[in-house]
Amino acid sequence: MNRLTVNLSKPMGTIHRNLYGHFSEHLGRCIYGGIYVGPDSPIPNQNGMRTDVVQALKHIAIPVLRWPGGCFADEYHWMDGIGPKSARKRMVNTHWGGVVEDNSFGTHEFMELCRQLGCEPYINANLGSGTVQEMSQWVEYLTFDGVSPMADKRAQNGRMEPWRVKYWGVGNENWGCGGNMRPEFYADQYRRYQTYCRNYGENRLYKIACGANSFDYDWTDKVLQIAGRYMDAITLHYYTVPGSWQHKGSATAFTREEYYRTLEKALQMEPLLDNHIRIMDMRDPQGRIGLIVDEWGAWYDVEPDTNPGFLYQQNTMRDALVAAATLNIFNQHCRRVVMANLAQTVNVLQSVILTEGDQMVLTPTYHVFDLYKAHQDAALLESHVQAPMVGQDGAQVPALHVSASQKAGGRVHLTLANLSDQQSYAIHCNLTGQAVSGRLLHGAPQAHNTFDAPDTVRPQPLDGVCMDGHGLRFEIPPCAVAAIEIEAAHEAL
Ligand code: AHR
């Protein structure tokens, strides 16, 4: 019996709904084909947005969407993507496959997408190759209510009222594809660009500085030291790559050792957050600045016979566990982590949705977001589960991984992942009350959904949940994610 303990008397902060955010770039078939098909497409759509994809994303309560990149953001000139579509510039997408970008999805289309999804827009603006004026004018175009050149232009393009845009990224990966800058140089550029990103009327910008690549603590430290007072948040990017960047490994054909190595690398998110947060605590002891992990997820070799620049990969139960453990870690770090954005929503990297023509498949990762959505805006509870180490050769991970939260109405939500590929575990949790629902996602590590078999991996009821005066008992099978909701919970004596 493995003991799972939840401390009801120790709420540890609020799990911001934006920890369940997503990221969509002009990359491969993410925007074009995956989300946007245009109003004249035979694929069912509303104003060009795929109806099936919008419905699916609404079902998992997508809270925030980051756009237009990624590396694409620092080459994106927003004025190319407004006005009559026939007059919009056609350009080459240099980062991603060298394909033609016709700019048919631009600012108005993105804001329409967010309207349909009911989510917050997060716009990542161009610091790497754009001008200060260009960035400043984008804010004005979107949010200024009154007479101004940009507000007039917006009206000419069919939108009288300003939009409300809160989340504003000032550059992306400026240590790499966003200009290969040193932290001191970026920090000064950040100070300059953000000066001209104005708050118009009621709209209040939440300014986000480009943060570190994975373990680059020096970047976080220097950017905070030089520019911390001008930002609301700083970012962090971390990808789980099982092999090297040249040979990352297959998304579906992997060994037991690769399985555990992937999970071991995914769990690096925890020390990574701890270390960046330690620096933030030193530079910002009041805790004013948020940490945003606006790119995360598993990154494998592309599927055979697909464009290497499109980053299209399948998604298995291994990815479901990467997502489950990572989201548990985000929940547990909600004191500082205020947003996270999985890379990327549709057809790119660890996507929640795959499409092919008019067909759509929900990935195992999608189902994890579904099982976890009850954590959004809930109070984090202290939790712990006894977990033996499991693994193969040098790659070792704790078998069980948990987080727990409580909604304002009182319901407790537990999410538990079993990372072992062979061993099931009997769990005894100290909570009593009434188990309202128990759901389970499980399968072999390589199990995945295809267009021919879209429901191979999908949530099932969690059988055998037993609640009495001594607590809650259930069994979790190998390679599984369980979500349990408990009403009127209290701790067993
Ligand atoms: O998500 C794919 C790419 O990964 C993004 O464009 C970039 O920011 C990161 O390097």
Side-chain angles (χ1 to χ4, degrees):
M1 204 54 99
N2 286 72
R3 196 161 171 78
L4 192 169
T5 316
V6 179
N7 188 347
L8 288 173
S9 58
K10 204 164 175 196
M12 301 175 74
T14 301
I15 297 171
H16 200 296
R17 66 174 68 179
N18 287 346
L19 297 190
Y20 292 83
H22 293 266
F23 164 42
S24 288
E25 181 165 10
H26 287 235
L27 196 178
R29 296 185 300 112
C30 183
I31 295 286
Y32 297 113
I35 292 176
Y36 183 72
V37 288
D40 302 327
S41 170
I43 297 174
N45 70 84
Q46 190 187 352
N47 298 329
M49 316 299 157
R50 288 182 74 124
T51 315
D52 52 357
V53 169
V54 167
Q55 286 310 319
L57 291 174
K58 281 174 78 166
H59 180 74
I60 54 171
I62 176 174
V64 62
L65 184 62
R66 175 175 182 245
W67 171 86
C71 294
F72 182 82
D74 275 288
E75 276 194 295
Y76 183 61
H77 301 282
W78 68 272
M79 284 200 198
D80 295 345
I82 56 171
K85 291 198 186 196
S86 56
R88 292 189 193 176
K89 275 189 197 157
R90 290 162 67 81
M91 57 186 258
V92 57
N93 188 332
T94 44
H95 273 293
W96 305 120
V99 293
V100 172
E101 162 66 58
D102 69 2
N103 279 301
S104 55
F105 188 96
T107 300
H108 290 248
E109 290 75 20
F110 176 64
M111 296 307 291
E112 166 62 9
L113 172 63
C114 292
R115 186 195 67 77
Q116 289 188 25
L117 292 171
C119 77
E120 291 271 353
Y122 166 12
I123 292 186
N124 206 127
N126 178 349
L127 177 142
S129 71
T131 63
V132 175
Q133 181 182 21
E134 201 180 342
M135 192 183 293
S136 166
Q137 287 180 330
W138 202 1
V139 177
E140 181 187 329
Y141 185 89
L142 281 155
T143 64
F144 186 71
D145 190 8
V147 179
S148 85
M150 290 303 115
D152 291 351
K153 204 187 253 295
R154 185 184 70 230
Q156 281 159 20
N157 290 330
R159 172 84 188 191
M160 283 302 293
E161 322 80 60
W163 286 283
R164 213 188 64 77
V165 177
K166 179 175 176 184
Y167 298 110
W168 195 261
V170 183
N172 167 74
E173 294 197 353
N174 301 96
W175 36 261
C177 64
N180 288 306
M181 300 174 191
R182 292 171 306 118
E184 296 87 346
F185 182 75
Y186 169 74
D188 280 339
Q189 292 296 313
Y190 173 85
R191 288 169 65 126
R192 176 167 173 242
Y193 276 70
Q194 67 78 36
T195 305
Y196 304 95
C197 297
R198 310 275 187 206
N199 290 323
Y200 294 114
E202 307 267 278
N203 196 70
R204 288 285 166 276
L205 293 175
Y206 182 92
K207 296 178 186 172
I208 301 166
C210 163
N213 178 20
S214 317
F215 303 94
D216 184 356
Y217 302 115
D218 184 53
W219 180 280
T220 301
D221 189 43
K222 292 216 168 88
V223 172
L224 284 175
Q225 184 191 2
I226 299 168
R229 55 196 276 236
Y230 302 102
M231 67 183 70
D232 296 297
I234 189 165
T235 65
L236 170 68
H237 288 184
Y238 177 64
Y239 285 99
T240 298
V241 183
S244 66
W245 279 99
Q246 288 69 37
H247 302 285
K248 302 177 196 74
S250 160
T252 50
F254 50 87
T255 63
R256 190 159 187 252
E257 199 270 337
E258 282 174 291
Y259 166 81
Y260 279 113
R261 188 147 30 90
T262 309
L263 297 176
E264 191 182 52
K265 288 196 172 180
L267 292 178
Q268 286 295 305
M269 185 64 88
E270 174 137 44
L272 197 54
L273 292 181
D274 287 338
N275 293 338
H276 284 285
I277 289 172
R278 205 164 293 132
I279 295 167
M280 294 181 76
D281 286 347
M282 256 156 41
R283 293 282 175 208
D284 171 39
Q286 288 77 34
R288 186 188 61 78
I289 300 172
L291 181 59
I292 293 183
V293 188
D294 59 2
E295 289 189 29
W296 68 274
W299 192 327
Y300 308 118
D301 295 333
V302 296
E303 290 303 307
D305 303 323
T306 65
N307 186 330
F310 280 15
L311 310 187
Y312 177 75
Q313 65 189 40
Q314 250 295 356
N315 195 295
T316 65
M317 267 310 295
R318 172 177 63 165
D319 297 286
L321 295 175
V322 167
T326 306
L327 292 170
N328 281 340
I329 293 169
F330 289 155
N331 288 348
Q332 287 154 2
H333 290 77
C334 67
R335 175 175 74 84
R336 268 289 183 185
V337 183
V338 294
M339 189 196 295
N341 308 75
L342 176 66
Q344 300 193 6
T345 323
V346 188
N347 293 332
V348 171
L349 300 178
Q350 193 178 343
S351 26
V352 289
I353 295 172
L354 302 175
T355 67
E356 195 60 72
D358 64 352
Q359 291 178 286
M360 178 184 85
V361 156
L362 305 177
T363 66
T365 299
Y366 174 92
H367 294 302
V368 172
F369 274 76
D370 191 24
L371 295 183
Y372 276 57
K373 67 186 175 193
H375 285 308
Q376 292 190 24
D377 296 333
L380 175 72
L381 297 173
E382 188 180 57
S383 61
H384 175 260
V385 64
Q386 286 174 336
M389 295 301 282
V390 291
Q392 170 81 23
D393 302 333
Q396 300 284 320
V397 294
L400 299 166
H401 203 277
V402 70
S403 73
S405 69
Q406 187 161 30
K407 282 280 193 205
R411 281 191 179 178
V412 170
H413 196 79
L414 285 178
T415 47
L416 180 70
N418 180 358
L419 308 188
S420 168
D421 64 335
Q422 289 177 350
Q423 183 71 45
S424 53
Y425 293 95
I427 307 291
H428 177 205
C429 171
N430 66 326
L431 293 185
T432 64
Q434 193 193 336
V436 177
S437 74
R439 295 206 293 156
L440 181 75
L441 189 72
H442 85 118
Q446 289 82 2
H448 58 278
N449 295 331
T450 65
F451 296 100
D452 294 331
D455 287 326
T456 305
V457 181
R458 66 175 172 149
Q460 312 284 343
L462 173 64
D463 295 327
V465 178
C466 151
M467 177 77 91
D468 61 23
H470 301 292
L472 175 76
R473 288 185 173 77
F474 61 95
E475 185 162 302
I476 186 164
C479 196
V481 184
I484 300 177
E485 209 162 309
I486 303 160
E487 174 97 65
H490 54 273
E491 291 167 34
L493 294 174

PDB file of all heavy atoms in Angstrom, residues 131-152:
ATOM      1  N   THR A 131      11.073  47.218 -35.186  1.00  0.00           N
ATOM      2  CA  THR A 131      11.465  48.496 -34.591  1.00  0.00           C
ATOM      3  C   THR A 131      10.642  48.787 -33.339  1.00  0.00           C
ATOM      4  O   THR A 131       9.583  48.196 -33.116  1.00  0.00           O
ATOM      5  CB  THR A 131      11.236  49.652 -35.577  1.00  0.00           C
ATOM      6  OG1 THR A 131       9.823  49.732 -35.842  1.00  0.00           O
ATOM      7  CG2 THR A 131      11.986  49.437 -36.875  1.00  0.00           C
ATOM      8  N   VAL A 132      11.145  49.733 -32.574  1.00  0.00           N
ATOM      9  CA  VAL A 132      10.407  50.187 -31.397  1.00  0.00           C
ATOM     10  C   VAL A 132       9.056  50.750 -31.842  1.00  0.00           C
ATOM     11  O   VAL A 132       8.011  50.481 -31.235  1.00  0.00           O
ATOM     12  CB  VAL A 132      11.217  51.276 -30.663  1.00  0.00           C
ATOM     13  CG1 VAL A 132      10.435  51.856 -29.503  1.00  0.00           C
ATOM     14  CG2 VAL A 132      12.537  50.718 -30.181  1.00  0.00           C
ATOM     15  N   GLN A 133       9.077  51.515 -32.927  1.00  0.00           N
ATOM     16  CA  GLN A 133       7.842  52.135 -33.427  1.00  0.00           C
ATOM     17  C   GLN A 133       6.814  51.072 -33.813  1.00  0.00           C
ATOM     18  O   GLN A 133       5.630  51.186 -33.499  1.00  0.00           O
ATOM     19  CB  GLN A 133       8.176  53.001 -34.641  1.00  0.00           C
ATOM     20  CG  GLN A 133       6.951  53.697 -35.201  1.00  0.00           C
ATOM     21  CD  GLN A 133       7.265  54.524 -36.432  1.00  0.00           C
ATOM     22  OE1 GLN A 133       8.276  54.299 -37.091  1.00  0.00           O
ATOM     23  NE2 GLN A 133       6.410  55.476 -36.729  1.00  0.00           N
ATOM     24  N   GLU A 134       7.299  50.024 -34.468  1.00  0.00           N
ATOM     25  CA  GLU A 134       6.405  48.952 -34.926  1.00  0.00           C
ATOM     26  C   GLU A 134       5.706  48.278 -33.735  1.00  0.00           C
ATOM     27  O   GLU A 134       4.499  48.024 -33.762  1.00  0.00           O
ATOM     28  CB  GLU A 134       7.299  47.942 -35.658  1.00  0.00           C
ATOM     29  CG  GLU A 134       6.630  47.023 -36.618  1.00  0.00           C
ATOM     30  CD  GLU A 134       7.681  46.098 -37.254  1.00  0.00           C
ATOM     31  OE1 GLU A 134       8.905  46.378 -37.220  1.00  0.00           O
ATOM     32  OE2 GLU A 134       7.249  45.059 -37.783  1.00  0.00           O
ATOM     33  N   MET A 135       6.486  48.022 -32.691  1.00  0.00           N
ATOM     34  CA  MET A 135       5.887  47.369 -31.520  1.00  0.00           C
ATOM     35  C   MET A 135       4.893  48.313 -30.846  1.00  0.00           C
ATOM     36  O   MET A 135       3.782  47.919 -30.463  1.00  0.00           O
ATOM     37  CB  MET A 135       6.956  46.922 -30.522  1.00  0.00           C
ATOM     38  CG  MET A 135       6.381  45.999 -29.478  1.00  0.00           C
ATOM     39  SD  MET A 135       7.519  45.473 -28.187  1.00  0.00           S
ATOM     40  CE  MET A 135       8.694  44.455 -29.022  1.00  0.00           C
ATOM     41  N   SER A 136       5.301  49.565 -30.728  1.00  0.00           N
ATOM     42  CA  SER A 136       4.444  50.552 -30.089  1.00  0.00           C
ATOM     43  C   SER A 136       3.120  50.702 -30.857  1.00  0.00           C
ATOM     44  O   SER A 136       2.029  50.781 -30.274  1.00  0.00           O
ATOM     45  CB  SER A 136       5.224  51.866 -30.046  1.00  0.00           C
ATOM     46  OG  SER A 136       4.380  52.913 -29.748  1.00  0.00           O
ATOM     47  N   GLN A 137       3.231  50.712 -32.185  1.00  0.00           N
ATOM     48  CA  GLN A 137       2.023  50.886 -33.004  1.00  0.00           C
ATOM     49  C   GLN A 137       1.096  49.667 -32.957  1.00  0.00           C
ATOM     50  O   GLN A 137      -0.112  49.797 -33.117  1.00  0.00           O
ATOM     51  CB  GLN A 137       2.426  51.178 -34.450  1.00  0.00           C
ATOM     52  CG  GLN A 137       2.996  52.587 -34.612  1.00  0.00           C
ATOM     53  CD  GLN A 137       3.397  52.887 -36.038  1.00  0.00           C
ATOM     54  OE1 GLN A 137       3.791  52.003 -36.798  1.00  0.00           O
ATOM     55  NE2 GLN A 137       3.318  54.161 -36.424  1.00  0.00           N
ATOM     56  N   TRP A 138       1.672  48.506 -32.719  1.00  0.00           N
ATOM     57  CA  TRP A 138       0.817  47.307 -32.632  1.00  0.00           C
ATOM     58  C   TRP A 138      -0.091  47.414 -31.396  1.00  0.00           C
ATOM     59  O   TRP A 138      -1.283  47.123 -31.456  1.00  0.00           O
ATOM     60  CB  TRP A 138       1.677  46.040 -32.578  1.00  0.00           C
ATOM     61  CG  TRP A 138       0.964  44.778 -33.007  1.00  0.00           C
ATOM     62  CD1 TRP A 138      -0.327  44.678 -33.449  1.00  0.00           C
ATOM     63  CD2 TRP A 138       1.503  43.453 -33.036  1.00  0.00           C
ATOM     64  NE1 TRP A 138      -0.621  43.361 -33.761  1.00  0.00           N
ATOM     65  CE2 TRP A 138       0.500  42.591 -33.511  1.00  0.00           C
ATOM     66  CE3 TRP A 138       2.736  42.917 -32.713  1.00  0.00           C
ATOM     67  CZ2 TRP A 138       0.689  41.211 -33.671  1.00  0.00           C
ATOM     68  CZ3 TRP A 138       2.932  41.536 -32.876  1.00  0.00           C
ATOM     69  CH2 TRP A 138       1.916  40.700 -33.343  1.00  0.00           C
ATOM     70  N   VAL A 139       0.517  47.876 -30.288  1.00  0.00           N
ATOM     71  CA  VAL A 139      -0.293  48.070 -29.070  1.00  0.00           C
ATOM     72  C   VAL A 139      -1.383  49.107 -29.342  1.00  0.00           C
ATOM     73  O   VAL A 139      -2.551  48.921 -28.980  1.00  0.00           O
ATOM     74  CB  VAL A 139       0.593  48.524 -27.887  1.00  0.00           C
ATOM     75  CG1 VAL A 139      -0.265  48.802 -26.651  1.00  0.00           C
ATOM     76  CG2 VAL A 139       1.657  47.492 -27.571  1.00  0.00           C
ATOM     77  N   GLU A 140      -1.002  50.186 -30.009  1.00  0.00           N
ATOM     78  CA  GLU A 140      -1.966  51.254 -30.313  1.00  0.00           C
ATOM     79  C   GLU A 140      -3.080  50.724 -31.217  1.00  0.00           C
ATOM     80  O   GLU A 140      -4.266  50.987 -30.991  1.00  0.00           O
ATOM     81  CB  GLU A 140      -1.220  52.412 -30.994  1.00  0.00           C
ATOM     82  CG  GLU A 140      -2.081  53.601 -31.341  1.00  0.00           C
ATOM     83  CD  GLU A 140      -1.313  54.641 -32.172  1.00  0.00           C
ATOM     84  OE1 GLU A 140      -0.084  54.763 -32.003  1.00  0.00           O
ATOM     85  OE2 GLU A 140      -1.957  55.303 -33.006  1.00  0.00           O
ATOM     86  N   TYR A 141      -2.718  49.970 -32.236  1.00  0.00           N
ATOM     87  CA  TYR A 141      -3.695  49.421 -33.179  1.00  0.00           C
ATOM     88  C   TYR A 141      -4.706  48.532 -32.447  1.00  0.00           C
ATOM     89  O   TYR A 141      -5.914  48.610 -32.689  1.00  0.00           O
ATOM     90  CB  TYR A 141      -2.958  48.611 -34.246  1.00  0.00           C
ATOM     91  CG  TYR A 141      -3.831  48.072 -35.361  1.00  0.00           C
ATOM     92  CD1 TYR A 141      -4.060  48.828 -36.507  1.00  0.00           C
ATOM     93  CD2 TYR A 141      -4.404  46.806 -35.281  1.00  0.00           C
ATOM     94  CE1 TYR A 141      -4.845  48.329 -37.546  1.00  0.00           C
ATOM     95  CE2 TYR A 141      -5.185  46.304 -36.311  1.00  0.00           C
ATOM     96  CZ  TYR A 141      -5.403  47.065 -37.446  1.00  0.00           C
ATOM     97  OH  TYR A 141      -6.182  46.567 -38.466  1.00  0.00           O
ATOM     98  N   LEU A 142      -4.196  47.739 -31.543  1.00  0.00           N
ATOM     99  CA  LEU A 142      -5.081  46.798 -30.849  1.00  0.00           C
ATOM    100  C   LEU A 142      -5.942  47.473 -29.794  1.00  0.00           C
ATOM    101  O   LEU A 142      -7.121  47.136 -29.635  1.00  0.00           O
ATOM    102  CB  LEU A 142      -4.238  45.708 -30.167  1.00  0.00           C
ATOM    103  CG  LEU A 142      -3.732  44.591 -31.071  1.00  0.00           C
ATOM    104  CD1 LEU A 142      -2.467  43.961 -30.491  1.00  0.00           C
ATOM    105  CD2 LEU A 142      -4.793  43.519 -31.272  1.00  0.00           C
ATOM    106  N   THR A 143      -5.357  48.422 -29.048  1.00  0.00           N
ATOM    107  CA  THR A 143      -6.029  48.809 -27.796  1.00  0.00           C
ATOM    108  C   THR A 143      -6.431  50.279 -27.674  1.00  0.00           C
ATOM    109  O   THR A 143      -7.075  50.636 -26.687  1.00  0.00           O
ATOM    110  CB  THR A 143      -5.126  48.454 -26.580  1.00  0.00           C
ATOM    111  OG1 THR A 143      -3.919  49.226 -26.648  1.00  0.00           O
ATOM    112  CG2 THR A 143      -4.766  46.983 -26.546  1.00  0.00           C
ATOM    113  N   PHE A 144      -6.043  51.137 -28.616  1.00  0.00           N
ATOM    114  CA  PHE A 144      -6.348  52.567 -28.442  1.00  0.00           C
ATOM    115  C   PHE A 144      -7.786  52.883 -28.851  1.00  0.00           C
ATOM    116  O   PHE A 144      -8.229  52.520 -29.936  1.00  0.00           O
ATOM    117  CB  PHE A 144      -5.375  53.435 -29.244  1.00  0.00           C
ATOM    118  CG  PHE A 144      -5.578  54.903 -28.971  1.00  0.00           C
ATOM    119  CD1 PHE A 144      -5.207  55.446 -27.743  1.00  0.00           C
ATOM    120  CD2 PHE A 144      -6.174  55.732 -29.907  1.00  0.00           C
ATOM    121  CE1 PHE A 144      -5.410  56.803 -27.467  1.00  0.00           C
ATOM    122  CE2 PHE A 144      -6.374  57.086 -29.643  1.00  0.00           C
ATOM    123  CZ  PHE A 144      -5.995  57.612 -28.420  1.00  0.00           C
ATOM    124  N   ASP A 145      -8.472  53.577 -27.946  1.00  0.00           N
ATOM    125  CA  ASP A 145      -9.864  53.950 -28.191  1.00  0.00           C
ATOM    126  C   ASP A 145      -9.900  55.471 -28.372  1.00  0.00           C
ATOM    127  O   ASP A 145      -9.872  56.207 -27.395  1.00  0.00           O
ATOM    128  CB  ASP A 145     -10.708  53.549 -26.967  1.00  0.00           C
ATOM    129  CG  ASP A 145     -12.182  53.687 -27.251  1.00  0.00           C
ATOM    130  OD1 ASP A 145     -12.545  53.935 -28.405  1.00  0.00           O
ATOM    131  OD2 ASP A 145     -12.972  53.530 -26.295  1.00  0.00           O
ATOM    132  N   GLY A 146      -9.920  55.948 -29.598  1.00  0.00           N
ATOM    133  CA  GLY A 146      -9.916  57.395 -29.828  1.00  0.00           C
ATOM    134  C   GLY A 146      -9.392  57.671 -31.221  1.00  0.00           C
ATOM    135  O   GLY A 146      -9.342  56.775 -32.060  1.00  0.00           O
ATOM    136  N   VAL A 147      -9.015  58.919 -31.434  1.00  0.00           N
ATOM    137  CA  VAL A 147      -8.530  59.292 -32.771  1.00  0.00           C
ATOM    138  C   VAL A 147      -7.014  59.154 -32.785  1.00  0.00           C
ATOM    139  O   VAL A 147      -6.312  59.817 -32.031  1.00  0.00           O
ATOM    140  CB  VAL A 147      -8.943  60.741 -33.107  1.00  0.00           C
ATOM    141  CG1 VAL A 147      -8.426  61.134 -34.481  1.00  0.00           C
ATOM    142  CG2 VAL A 147     -10.455  60.888 -33.028  1.00  0.00           C
ATOM    143  N   SER A 148      -6.519  58.275 -33.623  1.00  0.00           N
ATOM    144  CA  SER A 148      -5.066  58.115 -33.776  1.00  0.00           C
ATOM    145  C   SER A 148      -4.841  57.377 -35.089  1.00  0.00           C
ATOM    146  O   SER A 148      -5.745  56.691 -35.589  1.00  0.00           O
ATOM    147  CB  SER A 148      -4.471  57.319 -32.612  1.00  0.00           C
ATOM    148  OG  SER A 148      -4.567  55.938 -32.855  1.00  0.00           O
ATOM    149  N   PRO A 149      -3.652  57.507 -35.645  1.00  0.00           N
ATOM    150  CA  PRO A 149      -3.423  56.840 -36.932  1.00  0.00           C
ATOM    151  C   PRO A 149      -3.701  55.337 -36.878  1.00  0.00           C
ATOM    152  O   PRO A 149      -4.296  54.774 -37.793  1.00  0.00           O
ATOM    153  CB  PRO A 149      -1.935  57.109 -37.200  1.00  0.00           C
ATOM    154  CG  PRO A 149      -1.589  58.299 -36.384  1.00  0.00           C
ATOM    155  CD  PRO A 149      -2.501  58.298 -35.209  1.00  0.00           C
ATOM    156  N   MET A 150      -3.296  54.697 -35.797  1.00  0.00           N
ATOM    157  CA  MET A 150      -3.468  53.241 -35.721  1.00  0.00           C
ATOM    158  C   MET A 150      -4.931  52.861 -35.445  1.00  0.00           C
ATOM    159  O   MET A 150      -5.444  51.894 -35.996  1.00  0.00           O
ATOM    160  CB  MET A 150      -2.553  52.645 -34.638  1.00  0.00           C
ATOM    161  CG  MET A 150      -1.098  52.685 -34.980  1.00  0.00           C
ATOM    162  SD  MET A 150      -0.708  51.852 -36.541  1.00  0.00           S
ATOM    163  CE  MET A 150      -0.154  53.216 -37.511  1.00  0.00           C
ATOM    164  N   ALA A 151      -5.604  53.649 -34.588  1.00  0.00           N
ATOM    165  CA  ALA A 151      -7.017  53.359 -34.325  1.00  0.00           C
ATOM    166  C   ALA A 151      -7.833  53.574 -35.600  1.00  0.00           C
ATOM    167  O   ALA A 151      -8.780  52.827 -35.892  1.00  0.00           O
ATOM    168  CB  ALA A 151      -7.537  54.237 -33.189  1.00  0.00           C
ATOM    169  N   ASP A 152      -7.448  54.574 -36.387  1.00  0.00           N
ATOM    170  CA  ASP A 152      -8.147  54.821 -37.653  1.00  0.00           C
ATOM    171  C   ASP A 152      -7.925  53.657 -38.625  1.00  0.00           C
ATOM    172  O   ASP A 152      -8.837  53.206 -39.307  1.00  0.00           O
ATOM    173  CB  ASP A 152      -7.643  56.114 -38.299  1.00  0.00           C
ATOM    174  CG  ASP A 152      -8.075  57.338 -37.507  1.00  0.00           C
ATOM    175  OD1 ASP A 152      -8.894  57.163 -36.567  1.00  0.00           O
ATOM    176  OD2 ASP A 152      -7.585  58.445 -37.794  1.00  0.00           O
TER     177      ASP A 152
END
